[in-house]
Amino acid sequence: MANSAGETFADVQKRLDEILDAVNDEETSLDEALALCEEAVGLGLRASDMLEEDVDSAESGRSEPGNAESGSSEPDHSEPASSTAEGDAISPSEAAS
């Protein structure tokens, strides 16, 4: 996953780790630490954008919802079935009785 500048998520993560190490160093001045924190915020936003682009491209590769070949892409919001001690599945309405 690379952005238009060729920077990958791993590159951003590596730089964030470097910033963390520098900010934790007692020899880093307050002004430098603040500048590094500002850079880290920008990198975090960039990483978030990269992840969103990756999710968007993955979603655009899916087939149409409800397509018979791929099944429904809609989430299943039905209640999960409970199990009895013997391992038989029972519906939520049976479990309430």
Side-chain angles (χ1 to χ4, degrees):
M1 152 181 20
N3 64 11
S4 58
E7 183 176 50
T8 67
F9 186 83
D11 294 335
V12 172
Q13 186 176 16
K14 180 181 176 193
R15 179 61 185 144
L16 285 169
D17 288 338
E18 293 169 354
I19 290 171
L20 180 63
D21 291 339
V23 170
N24 285 326
D25 185 350
E26 292 181 12
E27 294 181 18
T28 302
S29 70
L30 181 59
D31 288 336
E32 187 178 356
L34 288 172
L36 289 168
C37 287
E38 289 177 8
E39 181 184 353
V41 168
L43 288 168
L45 292 171
R46 199 170 330 156
S48 177
D49 288 344
M50 293 168 118
L51 290 173
E52 281 185 34
E53 289 171 8
D54 194 43
V55 167
D56 289 345
S57 66
E59 286 178 349
S60 67
R62 283 197 227 162
S63 59
E64 291 298 315
N67 184 340
E69 291 180 13
S70 65
S72 175
S73 64
E74 296 297 317
D76 180 15
H77 295 292
S78 63
E79 295 182 41
S82 300
S83 295
T84 64
E86 294 82 30
D88 297 326
I90 57 174
S91 70
S93 59
E94 290 174 325
S97 56

